[in-house]
Amino acid sequence: MLGAHLRRMREEAGISRADAGWAIRGSESKISRLELGRVGFKSRDVADLLTLYKVADADERNRLLDLADQANNPGWWQRYDDLTPTWFHSYVGLEEAATLIRTFEVQFVPGLLQTEEYARAVSQLGHAEAPLPTAEVERLVALRTKRQKILTRPRPTRLWAVIDEVVLRRAIGGPAVLRDQLEHLLELSRLPNVTLQAIPIEAGGYAATGGAFTLMRFSDSDLPDVVYIEHLTSAVYLDKREDLDKYVVTMDALSVTAGTPRETDELLKTIIKSLD
């Protein structure tokens, strides 16, 4: 957010990245990294840039300097950095700041909607030959549980999830774990800020041929939407307008293909009954 503000002010002042870099005893690439939020902020650098951009209003200067201090403070999720891949670290911070998250899943229940037992089972997938230590699994589950608090905080994030029906039938952790997970989905779907839709198997093919993805939107107009796509050993973050537009259109098409929330509710009840 701070980087976006600094970029906008620099452009309004008609100052190049190279000149801005010179003003803070740095380079053009340093300004680029600052504006993209990829490096920490020094209060002295931010103050010098505000002076260069002729930001004289004391309240505005103090607000942005406070924002620089906040940006340098570690988020609660950073204590779990040793458990998660580096390309995932930014995601949790973005998720925490988002006001709207739209996600499409084809394999698992979205992390924000998982029960603890389901999350435990998911964390062990891919580790059949050498299971993760119990302590490590519990920390991963704790991370996921803390992430879920954005749905119930005083100003909750809105979550709109579209999932393939196959996800609801895949017995991750066994039938009992799946049953509890589906009942949990029923409960969460009643929250006013949670929308859940399932694409029925009989719908056939659908728009998202590339697989799962998440679209995040933020309250600050200076922050662009972000699309997150996770791969086996890496992840991609997209924020270019042309990319975003394609994913928004795709997500809208998926929402049309999927059953309504009411129909999804009935599907969940049907699957739960079949597990009795």
Side-chain angles (χ1 to χ4, degrees):
M1 190 182 300
L2 178 58
H5 278 300
L6 292 174
R7 182 183 67 247
R8 175 175 52 79
M9 289 186 293
R10 177 182 59 76
E11 291 173 346
E12 289 176 351
I15 295 172
S16 69
R17 286 195 181 94
D19 289 340
W22 177 264
I24 62 169
R25 303 151 297 281
S27 63
E28 180 178 351
S29 63
K30 179 178 180 179
I31 295 297
S32 178
R33 293 194 299 273
L34 285 172
E35 292 180 350
L36 290 171
R38 292 178 178 170
V39 292
F41 295 92
K42 294 181 180 178
S43 295
R44 175 187 174 186
D45 288 345
V46 174
D48 287 347
L49 288 173
L50 295 178
T51 299
L52 179 66
Y53 303 155
K54 295 183 169 51
V55 179
D57 183 87
D59 289 340
E60 178 68 359
R61 288 182 66 94
N62 289 334
R63 185 180 74 85
L64 293 171
L65 287 170
D66 286 344
L67 199 59
D69 289 337
Q70 294 175 38
N72 289 328
N73 291 331
W76 62 262
W77 54 89
Q78 291 181 319
R79 73 188 69 169
Y80 298 96
D81 283 358
D82 61 311
L83 291 177
T84 56
T86 55
W87 41 263
F88 185 72
H89 298 170
S90 296
Y91 177 81
V92 184
L94 290 169
E95 184 180 72
E96 185 86 4
T99 54
L100 170 64
I101 298 174
R102 299 182 70 183
T103 188
F104 172 62
E105 278 290 348
V106 295
Q107 186 172 5
F108 307 118
V109 170
L112 292 175
L113 301 176
Q114 292 179 6
T115 65
E116 290 188 7
E117 285 301 322
Y118 188 97
R120 287 187 181 95
V122 169
S123 69
Q124 288 288 12
L125 293 176
H127 300 282
E129 295 183 1
L132 295 177
T134 300
E136 190 169 325
V137 171
E138 291 308 308
R139 288 185 66 208
L140 287 169
V141 172
L143 169 60
R144 190 149 302 182
T145 302
K146 289 182 180 181
R147 285 170 52 201
Q148 295 171 355
K149 291 182 178 180
I150 65 173
L151 300 179
T152 54
R153 62 190 177 187
R155 296 182 64 181
T157 299
R158 186 184 172 204
L159 175 65
W160 186 351
V162 178
I163 58 180
D164 193 304
E165 180 184 337
V166 174
V167 172
L168 304 177
R169 297 185 178 276
R170 184 173 287 118
I172 303 292
V177 171
L178 176 62
R179 192 182 195 285
D180 289 344
Q181 176 63 71
L182 298 182
E183 290 178 343
H184 186 61
L185 288 177
L186 273 176
E187 181 181 349
L188 290 178
S189 66
R190 296 188 179 101
L191 293 175
N193 57 306
V194 174
T195 300
L196 179 64
Q197 292 182 269
I199 299 177
I201 293 173
E202 59 265 25
Y206 42 74
T209 57
F213 65 93
T214 298
L215 174 64
M216 291 175 281
R217 183 162 293 168
F218 310 90
S219 60
D220 195 292
S221 59
D222 284 330
L223 283 178
D225 294 353
V226 174
V227 170
Y228 173 78
I229 307 167
E230 188 172 311
H231 303 301
L232 183 62
T233 58
S234 64
V236 177
Y237 295 84
L238 305 175
D239 61 3
K240 292 183 179 179
R241 187 74 263 167
E242 57 268 28
D243 293 327
L244 292 171
D245 288 345
K246 291 178 182 177
Y247 278 93
V248 169
V249 168
T250 298
M251 186 66 84
D252 288 343
L254 289 168
S255 300
V256 171
T257 302
T260 65
R262 184 184 297 273
E263 291 169 339
T264 300
D265 188 86
E266 291 303 316
L267 176 61
L268 285 168
K269 292 176 181 177
T270 299
I271 300 174
I272 289 172
K273 188 175 181 180
S274 73
L275 294 170
D276 289 339

Short mmCIF file of all heavy atoms in Angstrom, two decimals, residues 129-182:
data_model
loop_
_atom_site.label_atom_id
_atom_site.label_comp_id
_atom_site.label_asym_id
_atom_site.label_seq_id
_atom_site.Cartn_x
_atom_site.Cartn_y
_atom_site.Cartn_z
N GLU A 129 5.90 -41.61 2.48
CA GLU A 129 7.11 -42.36 2.83
C GLU A 129 7.79 -41.82 4.08
O GLU A 129 8.38 -42.58 4.84
CB GLU A 129 8.08 -42.36 1.65
CG GLU A 129 7.56 -43.09 0.42
CD GLU A 129 8.59 -43.13 -0.70
OE1 GLU A 129 9.71 -42.60 -0.50
OE2 GLU A 129 8.28 -43.69 -1.78
N ALA A 130 7.68 -40.52 4.29
CA ALA A 130 8.29 -39.91 5.48
C ALA A 130 7.32 -38.88 6.04
O ALA A 130 7.42 -37.69 5.74
CB ALA A 130 9.63 -39.25 5.12
N PRO A 131 6.36 -39.31 6.85
CA PRO A 131 5.35 -38.40 7.40
C PRO A 131 5.98 -37.24 8.17
O PRO A 131 7.04 -37.38 8.79
CB PRO A 131 4.54 -39.31 8.33
CG PRO A 131 4.74 -40.68 7.79
CD PRO A 131 6.15 -40.70 7.28
N LEU A 132 5.33 -36.09 8.10
CA LEU A 132 5.81 -34.93 8.84
C LEU A 132 5.70 -35.18 10.34
O LEU A 132 4.77 -35.84 10.80
CB LEU A 132 4.99 -33.69 8.47
CG LEU A 132 5.08 -33.19 7.03
CD1 LEU A 132 4.14 -32.01 6.83
CD2 LEU A 132 6.51 -32.78 6.69
N PRO A 133 6.62 -34.65 11.12
CA PRO A 133 6.53 -34.79 12.58
C PRO A 133 5.23 -34.16 13.09
O PRO A 133 4.75 -33.17 12.54
CB PRO A 133 7.76 -34.01 13.08
CG PRO A 133 8.71 -33.99 11.93
CD PRO A 133 7.86 -33.94 10.71
N THR A 134 4.70 -34.73 14.15
CA THR A 134 3.44 -34.25 14.70
C THR A 134 3.49 -32.76 15.05
O THR A 134 2.55 -32.01 14.77
CB THR A 134 3.06 -35.06 15.96
OG1 THR A 134 2.93 -36.43 15.60
CG2 THR A 134 1.75 -34.56 16.55
N ALA A 135 4.59 -32.32 15.64
CA ALA A 135 4.72 -30.92 16.04
C ALA A 135 4.64 -30.00 14.82
O ALA A 135 4.03 -28.92 14.87
CB ALA A 135 6.03 -30.70 16.79
N GLU A 136 5.24 -30.42 13.73
CA GLU A 136 5.22 -29.61 12.50
C GLU A 136 3.82 -29.56 11.91
O GLU A 136 3.36 -28.50 11.47
CB GLU A 136 6.20 -30.20 11.49
CG GLU A 136 6.45 -29.33 10.28
CD GLU A 136 7.62 -29.83 9.44
OE1 GLU A 136 8.59 -30.34 10.05
OE2 GLU A 136 7.54 -29.71 8.20
N VAL A 137 3.13 -30.70 11.93
CA VAL A 137 1.75 -30.74 11.43
C VAL A 137 0.87 -29.81 12.26
O VAL A 137 0.06 -29.05 11.71
CB VAL A 137 1.19 -32.18 11.47
CG1 VAL A 137 -0.30 -32.18 11.17
CG2 VAL A 137 1.93 -33.06 10.48
N GLU A 138 1.03 -29.84 13.57
CA GLU A 138 0.19 -29.01 14.44
C GLU A 138 0.45 -27.53 14.21
O GLU A 138 -0.47 -26.71 14.29
CB GLU A 138 0.43 -29.38 15.90
CG GLU A 138 -0.10 -30.75 16.28
CD GLU A 138 -1.56 -30.93 15.87
OE1 GLU A 138 -2.39 -30.09 16.22
OE2 GLU A 138 -1.87 -31.94 15.19
N ARG A 139 1.67 -27.16 13.92
CA ARG A 139 1.96 -25.75 13.61
C ARG A 139 1.33 -25.34 12.28
O ARG A 139 0.83 -24.23 12.14
CB ARG A 139 3.48 -25.52 13.58
CG ARG A 139 4.14 -25.55 14.95
CD ARG A 139 5.61 -25.20 14.84
NE ARG A 139 5.78 -23.81 14.41
CZ ARG A 139 6.84 -23.36 13.73
NH1 ARG A 139 7.79 -24.21 13.35
NH2 ARG A 139 6.92 -22.09 13.39
N LEU A 140 1.35 -26.25 11.30
CA LEU A 140 0.70 -25.96 10.03
C LEU A 140 -0.81 -25.79 10.20
O LEU A 140 -1.43 -24.90 9.61
CB LEU A 140 0.99 -27.08 9.02
CG LEU A 140 2.40 -27.14 8.45
CD1 LEU A 140 2.62 -28.44 7.69
CD2 LEU A 140 2.65 -25.95 7.54
N VAL A 141 -1.39 -26.64 11.03
CA VAL A 141 -2.82 -26.53 11.32
C VAL A 141 -3.11 -25.22 12.06
O VAL A 141 -4.11 -24.53 11.77
CB VAL A 141 -3.31 -27.74 12.13
CG1 VAL A 141 -4.76 -27.54 12.59
CG2 VAL A 141 -3.19 -29.02 11.31
N ALA A 142 -2.25 -24.85 12.99
CA ALA A 142 -2.43 -23.59 13.72
C ALA A 142 -2.38 -22.40 12.78
O ALA A 142 -3.16 -21.45 12.92
CB ALA A 142 -1.37 -23.46 14.81
N LEU A 143 -1.46 -22.44 11.82
CA LEU A 143 -1.37 -21.36 10.83
C LEU A 143 -2.67 -21.25 10.05
O LEU A 143 -3.21 -20.16 9.86
CB LEU A 143 -0.20 -21.63 9.88
CG LEU A 143 -0.11 -20.75 8.62
CD1 LEU A 143 0.03 -19.29 9.00
CD2 LEU A 143 1.05 -21.20 7.74
N ARG A 144 -3.19 -22.38 9.61
CA ARG A 144 -4.43 -22.37 8.83
C ARG A 144 -5.60 -21.87 9.67
O ARG A 144 -6.44 -21.10 9.19
CB ARG A 144 -4.71 -23.77 8.30
CG ARG A 144 -5.83 -23.84 7.30
CD ARG A 144 -5.62 -24.95 6.30
NE ARG A 144 -4.36 -24.80 5.58
CZ ARG A 144 -3.93 -25.61 4.62
NH1 ARG A 144 -4.67 -26.62 4.24
NH2 ARG A 144 -2.78 -25.41 4.02
N THR A 145 -5.65 -22.28 10.92
CA THR A 145 -6.73 -21.84 11.81
C THR A 145 -6.69 -20.34 12.05
O THR A 145 -7.73 -19.67 12.05
CB THR A 145 -6.64 -22.59 13.15
OG1 THR A 145 -6.71 -24.01 12.92
CG2 THR A 145 -7.77 -22.18 14.08
N LYS A 146 -5.49 -19.80 12.23
CA LYS A 146 -5.36 -18.36 12.45
C LYS A 146 -5.73 -17.58 11.19
O LYS A 146 -6.32 -16.50 11.28
CB LYS A 146 -3.93 -18.02 12.90
CG LYS A 146 -3.63 -18.49 14.33
CD LYS A 146 -2.23 -18.08 14.76
CE LYS A 146 -1.94 -18.55 16.18
NZ LYS A 146 -0.59 -18.15 16.64
N ARG A 147 -5.41 -18.13 10.03
CA ARG A 147 -5.80 -17.47 8.79
C ARG A 147 -7.31 -17.34 8.69
O ARG A 147 -7.84 -16.35 8.16
CB ARG A 147 -5.28 -18.27 7.58
CG ARG A 147 -3.79 -18.14 7.32
CD ARG A 147 -3.35 -19.15 6.26
NE ARG A 147 -4.16 -19.06 5.06
CZ ARG A 147 -4.28 -20.02 4.16
NH1 ARG A 147 -3.65 -21.18 4.34
NH2 ARG A 147 -5.03 -19.86 3.09
N GLN A 148 -8.03 -18.32 9.21
CA GLN A 148 -9.49 -18.35 9.09
C GLN A 148 -10.18 -17.25 9.90
O GLN A 148 -11.35 -16.96 9.67
CB GLN A 148 -10.01 -19.72 9.53
CG GLN A 148 -9.55 -20.85 8.61
CD GLN A 148 -9.87 -22.22 9.15
OE1 GLN A 148 -10.35 -22.36 10.27
NE2 GLN A 148 -9.60 -23.26 8.36
N LYS A 149 -9.46 -16.62 10.82
CA LYS A 149 -10.06 -15.59 11.65
C LYS A 149 -10.48 -14.35 10.85
O LYS A 149 -11.27 -13.54 11.34
CB LYS A 149 -9.10 -15.19 12.77
CG LYS A 149 -8.91 -16.29 13.81
CD LYS A 149 -7.99 -15.86 14.94
CE LYS A 149 -7.85 -16.96 15.97
NZ LYS A 149 -6.95 -16.58 17.10
N ILE A 150 -9.98 -14.21 9.63
CA ILE A 150 -10.40 -13.07 8.82
C ILE A 150 -11.88 -13.15 8.47
O ILE A 150 -12.49 -12.14 8.10
CB ILE A 150 -9.56 -12.93 7.53
CG1 ILE A 150 -9.80 -14.13 6.60
CG2 ILE A 150 -8.09 -12.76 7.86
CD1 ILE A 150 -9.14 -13.97 5.24
N LEU A 151 -12.47 -14.34 8.60
CA LEU A 151 -13.89 -14.51 8.26
C LEU A 151 -14.82 -14.12 9.41
O LEU A 151 -16.02 -13.91 9.19
CB LEU A 151 -14.18 -15.96 7.85
CG LEU A 151 -13.41 -16.49 6.64
CD1 LEU A 151 -13.79 -17.94 6.39
CD2 LEU A 151 -13.69 -15.64 5.40
N THR A 152 -14.27 -14.02 10.61
CA THR A 152 -15.11 -13.73 11.77
C THR A 152 -14.65 -12.52 12.57
O THR A 152 -15.18 -12.25 13.64
CB THR A 152 -15.16 -14.96 12.71
OG1 THR A 152 -13.82 -15.35 13.05
CG2 THR A 152 -15.87 -16.12 12.03
N ARG A 153 -13.67 -11.79 12.07
CA ARG A 153 -13.21 -10.59 12.78
C ARG A 153 -14.27 -9.49 12.68
O ARG A 153 -15.24 -9.62 11.90
CB ARG A 153 -11.86 -10.14 12.20
CG ARG A 153 -11.90 -9.73 10.74
CD ARG A 153 -10.50 -9.54 10.19
NE ARG A 153 -10.50 -9.21 8.76
CZ ARG A 153 -9.41 -9.13 8.02
NH1 ARG A 153 -8.22 -9.35 8.58
NH2 ARG A 153 -9.48 -8.83 6.73
N PRO A 154 -14.14 -8.40 13.45
CA PRO A 154 -15.16 -7.35 13.44
C PRO A 154 -15.53 -6.82 12.05
O PRO A 154 -16.69 -6.56 11.77
CB PRO A 154 -14.53 -6.25 14.30
CG PRO A 154 -13.65 -7.01 15.26
CD PRO A 154 -13.09 -8.16 14.46
N ARG A 155 -14.54 -6.66 11.19
CA ARG A 155 -14.81 -6.28 9.79
C ARG A 155 -14.32 -7.43 8.92
O ARG A 155 -13.23 -7.40 8.38
CB ARG A 155 -14.09 -4.97 9.44
CG ARG A 155 -14.58 -3.77 10.25
CD ARG A 155 -13.88 -2.49 9.84
NE ARG A 155 -14.18 -2.13 8.47
CZ ARG A 155 -13.68 -1.05 7.86
NH1 ARG A 155 -12.83 -0.26 8.50
NH2 ARG A 155 -13.99 -0.78 6.62
N PRO A 156 -15.16 -8.46 8.80
CA PRO A 156 -14.70 -9.70 8.16
C PRO A 156 -14.47 -9.55 6.66
O PRO A 156 -15.10 -8.75 5.97
CB PRO A 156 -15.85 -10.67 8.43
CG PRO A 156 -17.06 -9.79 8.54
CD PRO A 156 -16.57 -8.54 9.21
N THR A 157 -13.53 -10.36 6.18
CA THR A 157 -13.30 -10.48 4.75
C THR A 157 -14.47 -11.23 4.13
O THR A 157 -15.00 -12.17 4.72
CB THR A 157 -11.99 -11.24 4.49
OG1 THR A 157 -10.92 -10.51 5.07
CG2 THR A 157 -11.74 -11.42 2.99
N ARG A 158 -14.86 -10.81 2.94
CA ARG A 158 -15.88 -11.55 2.22
C ARG A 158 -15.21 -12.64 1.41
O ARG A 158 -14.26 -12.38 0.67
CB ARG A 158 -16.68 -10.63 1.30
CG ARG A 158 -17.85 -11.39 0.65
CD ARG A 158 -18.61 -10.56 -0.34
NE ARG A 158 -19.57 -11.41 -1.04
CZ ARG A 158 -20.07 -11.15 -2.24
NH1 ARG A 158 -19.70 -10.07 -2.89
NH2 ARG A 158 -20.93 -11.97 -2.80
N LEU A 159 -15.70 -13.87 1.56
CA LEU A 159 -15.15 -15.01 0.82
C LEU A 159 -16.22 -15.57 -0.11
O LEU A 159 -17.33 -15.87 0.32
CB LEU A 159 -14.68 -16.11 1.78
CG LEU A 159 -14.20 -17.41 1.13
CD1 LEU A 159 -12.94 -17.18 0.31
CD2 LEU A 159 -13.98 -18.49 2.18
N TRP A 160 -15.87 -15.70 -1.37
CA TRP A 160 -16.76 -16.29 -2.37
C TRP A 160 -16.00 -17.45 -3.01
O TRP A 160 -15.06 -17.25 -3.77
CB TRP A 160 -17.14 -15.24 -3.41
CG TRP A 160 -18.17 -15.68 -4.41
CD1 TRP A 160 -18.69 -16.92 -4.61
CD2 TRP A 160 -18.83 -14.82 -5.36
NE1 TRP A 160 -19.62 -16.91 -5.61
CE2 TRP A 160 -19.74 -15.64 -6.10
CE3 TRP A 160 -18.75 -13.47 -5.67
CZ2 TRP A 160 -20.53 -15.14 -7.11
CZ3 TRP A 160 -19.55 -12.96 -6.68
CH2 TRP A 160 -20.43 -13.79 -7.39
N ALA A 161 -16.38 -18.67 -2.63
CA ALA A 161 -15.67 -19.85 -3.07
C ALA A 161 -16.50 -20.67 -4.05
O ALA A 161 -17.68 -20.95 -3.79
CB ALA A 161 -15.29 -20.72 -1.88
N VAL A 162 -15.87 -21.04 -5.16
CA VAL A 162 -16.48 -21.94 -6.14
C VAL A 162 -15.62 -23.20 -6.18
O VAL A 162 -14.40 -23.10 -6.37
CB VAL A 162 -16.55 -21.30 -7.54
CG1 VAL A 162 -17.15 -22.28 -8.55
CG2 VAL A 162 -17.38 -20.01 -7.50
N ILE A 163 -16.24 -24.36 -5.96
CA ILE A 163 -15.47 -25.60 -5.93
C ILE A 163 -16.12 -26.65 -6.81
O ILE A 163 -17.33 -26.63 -7.04
CB ILE A 163 -15.33 -26.14 -4.49
CG1 ILE A 163 -16.70 -26.38 -3.87
CG2 ILE A 163 -14.52 -25.18 -3.63
CD1 ILE A 163 -16.64 -26.90 -2.46
N ASP A 164 -15.31 -27.54 -7.30
CA ASP A 164 -15.81 -28.67 -8.08
C ASP A 164 -16.49 -29.66 -7.13
O ASP A 164 -16.01 -29.90 -6.01
CB ASP A 164 -14.64 -29.35 -8.80
CG ASP A 164 -15.08 -30.33 -9.88
OD1 ASP A 164 -15.85 -31.24 -9.54
OD2 ASP A 164 -14.66 -30.17 -11.03
N GLU A 165 -17.61 -30.24 -7.54
CA GLU A 165 -18.32 -31.20 -6.69
C GLU A 165 -17.41 -32.34 -6.26
O GLU A 165 -17.56 -32.90 -5.15
CB GLU A 165 -19.53 -31.77 -7.43
CG GLU A 165 -20.31 -32.78 -6.61
CD GLU A 165 -21.47 -33.41 -7.37
OE1 GLU A 165 -21.96 -32.82 -8.35
OE2 GLU A 165 -21.89 -34.53 -6.97
N VAL A 166 -16.47 -32.70 -7.11
CA VAL A 166 -15.55 -33.79 -6.78
C VAL A 166 -14.83 -33.52 -5.46
O VAL A 166 -14.54 -34.43 -4.69
CB VAL A 166 -14.53 -34.01 -7.92
CG1 VAL A 166 -13.49 -35.04 -7.53
CG2 VAL A 166 -15.25 -34.43 -9.19
N VAL A 167 -14.54 -32.25 -5.18
CA VAL A 167 -13.89 -31.87 -3.93
C VAL A 167 -14.72 -32.33 -2.73
O VAL A 167 -14.19 -32.79 -1.72
CB VAL A 167 -13.66 -30.35 -3.87
CG1 VAL A 167 -13.16 -29.92 -2.50
CG2 VAL A 167 -12.67 -29.92 -4.95
N LEU A 168 -16.05 -32.20 -2.87
CA LEU A 168 -16.95 -32.54 -1.77
C LEU A 168 -17.08 -34.05 -1.58
O LEU A 168 -17.59 -34.50 -0.55
CB LEU A 168 -18.33 -31.94 -2.03
CG LEU A 168 -18.37 -30.43 -2.26
CD1 LEU A 168 -19.80 -29.98 -2.56
CD2 LEU A 168 -17.81 -29.69 -1.05
N ARG A 169 -16.64 -34.82 -2.54
CA ARG A 169 -16.77 -36.28 -2.47
C ARG A 169 -15.43 -36.97 -2.23
O ARG A 169 -15.39 -38.16 -1.99
CB ARG A 169 -17.40 -36.81 -3.77
CG ARG A 169 -18.83 -36.29 -3.98
CD ARG A 169 -19.46 -36.92 -5.20
NE ARG A 169 -20.83 -36.47 -5.39
CZ ARG A 169 -21.90 -36.99 -4.79
NH1 ARG A 169 -21.76 -37.98 -3.94
NH2 ARG A 169 -23.11 -36.51 -5.02
N ARG A 170 -14.35 -36.21 -2.31
CA ARG A 170 -13.02 -36.80 -2.13
C ARG A 170 -12.76 -36.95 -0.62
O ARG A 170 -12.65 -35.95 0.09
CB ARG A 170 -11.96 -35.93 -2.79
CG ARG A 170 -10.55 -36.50 -2.73
CD ARG A 170 -9.58 -35.67 -3.54
NE ARG A 170 -9.79 -35.84 -4.97
CZ ARG A 170 -10.14 -34.85 -5.80
NH1 ARG A 170 -10.33 -33.62 -5.34
NH2 ARG A 170 -10.29 -35.09 -7.09
N ALA A 171 -12.62 -38.17 -0.17
CA ALA A 171 -12.53 -38.45 1.27
C ALA A 171 -11.12 -38.22 1.81
O ALA A 171 -10.44 -39.16 2.25
CB ALA A 171 -12.99 -39.88 1.56
N ILE A 172 -10.70 -36.98 1.82
CA ILE A 172 -9.41 -36.63 2.42
C ILE A 172 -9.49 -36.94 3.92
O ILE A 172 -10.34 -36.43 4.63
CB ILE A 172 -9.09 -35.13 2.21
CG1 ILE A 172 -9.09 -34.76 0.74
CG2 ILE A 172 -7.76 -34.77 2.88
CD1 ILE A 172 -7.99 -35.36 -0.07
N GLY A 173 -8.60 -37.81 4.39
CA GLY A 173 -8.62 -38.17 5.80
C GLY A 173 -9.61 -39.25 6.17
O GLY A 173 -9.68 -39.66 7.33
N GLY A 174 -10.42 -39.71 5.20
CA GLY A 174 -11.39 -40.75 5.48
C GLY A 174 -12.81 -40.21 5.54
O GLY A 174 -13.03 -39.00 5.65
N PRO A 175 -13.81 -41.09 5.48
CA PRO A 175 -15.22 -40.68 5.47
C PRO A 175 -15.64 -39.83 6.66
O PRO A 175 -16.41 -38.87 6.51
CB PRO A 175 -15.97 -42.02 5.44
CG PRO A 175 -15.00 -42.97 4.83
CD PRO A 175 -13.65 -42.54 5.32
N ALA A 176 -15.16 -40.16 7.85
CA ALA A 176 -15.56 -39.40 9.04
C ALA A 176 -15.05 -37.97 8.99
O ALA A 176 -15.77 -37.02 9.32
CB ALA A 176 -15.04 -40.10 10.30
N VAL A 177 -13.81 -37.82 8.56
CA VAL A 177 -13.23 -36.47 8.42
C VAL A 177 -13.98 -35.68 7.36
O VAL A 177 -14.29 -34.50 7.53
CB VAL A 177 -11.73 -36.55 8.08
CG1 VAL A 177 -11.18 -35.16 7.72
CG2 VAL A 177 -10.95 -37.15 9.24
N LEU A 178 -14.31 -36.35 6.26
CA LEU A 178 -15.05 -35.68 5.19
C LEU A 178 -16.43 -35.25 5.68
O LEU A 178 -16.87 -34.13 5.38
CB LEU A 178 -15.18 -36.61 3.98
CG LEU A 178 -16.01 -36.05 2.81
CD1 LEU A 178 -15.37 -34.78 2.26
CD2 LEU A 178 -16.18 -37.10 1.71
N ARG A 179 -17.10 -36.11 6.41
CA ARG A 179 -18.44 -35.78 6.89
C ARG A 179 -18.39 -34.53 7.78
O ARG A 179 -19.21 -33.61 7.63
CB ARG A 179 -19.02 -36.96 7.68
CG ARG A 179 -20.50 -36.81 7.98
CD ARG A 179 -21.02 -37.99 8.80
NE ARG A 179 -22.47 -38.05 8.80
CZ ARG A 179 -23.26 -37.24 9.49
NH1 ARG A 179 -22.71 -36.31 10.24
NH2 ARG A 179 -24.57 -37.37 9.42
N ASP A 180 -17.45 -34.50 8.71
CA ASP A 180 -17.31 -33.32 9.58
C ASP A 180 -16.99 -32.07 8.77
O ASP A 180 -17.48 -30.97 9.07
CB ASP A 180 -16.21 -33.55 10.62
CG ASP A 180 -16.62 -34.57 11.68
OD1 ASP A 180 -17.83 -34.86 11.79
OD2 ASP A 180 -15.71 -35.08 12.37
N GLN A 181 -16.17 -32.24 7.72
CA GLN A 181 -15.80 -31.11 6.88
C GLN A 181 -17.02 -30.56 6.14
O GLN A 181 -17.22 -29.35 6.05
CB GLN A 181 -14.73 -31.53 5.88
CG GLN A 181 -14.34 -30.45 4.88
CD GLN A 181 -13.73 -29.23 5.53
OE1 GLN A 181 -12.61 -29.27 6.03
NE2 GLN A 181 -14.47 -28.12 5.55
N LEU A 182 -17.86 -31.44 5.62
CA LEU A 182 -19.05 -31.00 4.89
C LEU A 182 -20.04 -30.31 5.82
O LEU A 182 -20.67 -29.30 5.45
CB LEU A 182 -19.71 -32.19 4.19
CG LEU A 182 -18.86 -32.91 3.13
CD1 LEU A 182 -19.66 -34.03 2.49
CD2 LEU A 182 -18.34 -31.93 2.08
#
